[in-house]
Amino acid sequence: VKTRKLKRGRREHVWLWLQWRQQLWLQKRPPSGVWAGLWSLPEFDSVADFERASAPWPGEPEPLASFTHTLTHLDWTLHPVRWTVPARTAAARVAELVRRWPTGRWFTLNQALAAGLPAPLRKLLLS
């Protein structure tokens, strides 16, 4: 019996590694779908979306090496960008930045590594 060959999907996102005062912002992924229920970096659908959203932010982007994570049904290209918000930035201003990710919270690196993380994020944080 011949089986139908499934077509692999492709995705591409900008992955935001947002840092402030020795902490990073992670958001809880939805309860279904890829990496369901794990903590992960916020995503943007395109570089243009990321640039538009981050234009007024304090600090500067630091693009990191892009990579493709291969899942059983999907090739997912991620473009990580580390953004360090200056420590002197007021907490109220930082709260405005992260308001767009209501399921998130700040983690120290050790707290993040102890949380449920997708394997490519754990590898990125340890690199």
Side-chain angles (χ1 to χ4, degrees), residues 54-71:
S54 64
W57 295 357
E60 294 293 324
E62 177 191 347
L64 303 173
S66 297
F67 63 92
T68 300
H69 182 65
T70 303
L71 300 161

Side-chain angles (χ1 to χ4, degrees), residues 29-45:
R29 293 193 59 86
S32 62
V34 177
W35 300 333
L38 297 179
W39 289 96
S40 189
L41 298 174
E43 297 168 10
F44 289 86
D45 290 333

Side-chain angles (χ1 to χ4, degrees), residues 1 7 9 25 38 42-43 75 79 86 88-90 101-103 113 116:
V1 175
K7 286 191 175 187
W25 184 262
L38 297 179
E43 297 168 10
D75 292 323
H79 306 282
R88 68 183 180 280
T89 305
W101 303 291
T103 61
L113 292 171

Side-chain angles (χ1 to χ4, degrees), residues 11-28:
R11 264 190 214 173
E12 194 162 351
H13 287 101
V14 173
W15 226 9
L16 175 64
W17 178 342
L18 187 64
Q19 294 186 154
W20 180 60
R21 297 182 180 170
Q22 303 302 314
Q23 296 187 334
L24 67 142
W25 184 262
L26 298 177
Q27 68 175 26
K28 190 82 156 178

